[in-house]
Amino acid sequence: MYKGKTFLAIIPARGGSKRLPNKNILNLAGKPLIAWSINAAKNSKYLDEIVVSSDSDKILDIAKDYNVKTIKRPSNLATDKTTTIEVIKHIIQEVEKKYDYIVLLQPTSPLRDEHHINKAIEWLDYKNADAVIGVCEMEHNPLWSNTLPDDLSMKNFLKDEIKNKRSQDLDKYYIINGSIYICKIDKLLEENSLFLNDNIFAYVMDRKSSVDIDDEIDFKLAEVLIQEKEKGLSFNSLTVSCFSV
């Protein structure tokens, strides 16, 4: 709870994964991947309840070992076409208590910790927001990108106004990093989305904490970053370094 508002943490973890099989239970720096998000939630001082939702008994058993509530996801909510909103709505229906906000913590973001969760909730309160979503600065400015025709011609690849500009002179662009979503439950149900039409703000995170594990390369990068973090070393020398807040 924070200033009278209650928060339900949701960690969705489907058993299937095409690019990196069983990724949610793979050993990452000594713990199953999902355990990093569970621990971050448990260490947060503002979360009232933590729920892990999965169709996998292995994942649910790991969650039980960490003493958090588990919900077995029905098969119709464990397909490639299942949306996050459908999973969230199922959990809201299943939990006994009513909460003001959900805090979605995807297990593929192991570098997001309790500090980020607490700061995001405080930011939500400071902005009097209905929703907050984690973002980070893009590594490569999208103005330097474009589609290519079949013959790979680069004619008109760049707009004239940016051809002679340095990358540092261009506007900053941000991307949703997938690590944390906070949303007022009644607004989420009303709009059927985490990305509300109004009164929604970004919580800006550094890139090293925004690593999202989708494949083996991401997994190995996350392991290196965790090892460096646990040694108490600075990330500044690593190629993924970025501004931090």
Side-chain angles (χ1 to χ4, degrees), residues 29 36 111 223-235 238:
W36 291 93
L111 275 298
E223 193 156 41
V224 170
L225 290 172
I226 288 171
Q227 291 170 350
E228 293 296 316
K229 184 176 181 180
E230 290 184 338
K231 290 177 184 177
L233 300 178
S234 170
F235 288 98
L238 298 176

Side-chain angles (χ1 to χ4, degrees), residues 58-74:
K58 289 183 179 180
I59 291 175
L60 295 177
D61 286 341
I62 290 172
K64 290 173 184 176
D65 288 340
Y66 283 84
N67 298 312
V68 295
K69 181 178 177 62
T70 61
I71 293 178
K72 183 65 178 287
R73 195 183 304 179

Side-chain angles (χ1 to χ4, degrees), residues 116-133:
H116 301 108
I117 297 171
N118 293 339
K119 290 297 183 183
I121 290 174
E122 291 167 4
W123 180 241
L124 176 97
D125 174 75
Y126 178 78
K127 300 296 289 185
N128 193 27
D130 290 328
V132 159
I133 294 180

Side-chain angles (χ1 to χ4, degrees), residues 136-225:
C136 66
E137 186 179 351
M138 295 184 69
E139 181 179 3
H140 302 292
N141 195 298
L143 295 178
W144 291 103
S145 63
N146 206 334
T147 58
L148 283 171
D150 292 339
D151 66 355
L152 302 184
S153 169
M154 293 192 72
K155 182 180 179 180
N156 300 321
F157 187 84
L158 295 180
K159 294 181 179 179
D160 290 338
E161 58 266 30
I162 68 166
K163 283 182 178 178
N164 295 317
K165 283 192 174 183
R166 302 176 303 167
S167 59
Q168 58 264 42
D169 294 329
L170 299 175
D171 290 337
K172 290 182 180 180
Y173 278 73
Y174 297 84
I175 187 171
I176 295 173
N177 63 15
S179 68
I180 183 167
Y181 300 78
I182 306 176
C183 191
K184 199 170 187 177
I185 291 177
D186 60 357
K187 289 288 186 179
L188 180 149
L189 296 176
E190 177 185 334
E191 300 189 24
N192 202 41
S193 175
L194 288 163
F195 207 95
L196 304 182
N197 292 322
D198 195 17
N199 201 23
I200 179 172
F201 293 88
Y203 169 61
V204 181
M205 296 170 57
D206 59 282
R207 283 215 329 271
K208 63 179 179 286
S209 301
S210 300
V211 172
D212 180 36
I213 296 179
D214 187 47
D215 55 28
E216 187 177 359
I217 293 176
D218 300 329
F219 194 90
K220 290 180 177 180
L221 173 60
E223 193 156 41
V224 170
L225 290 172

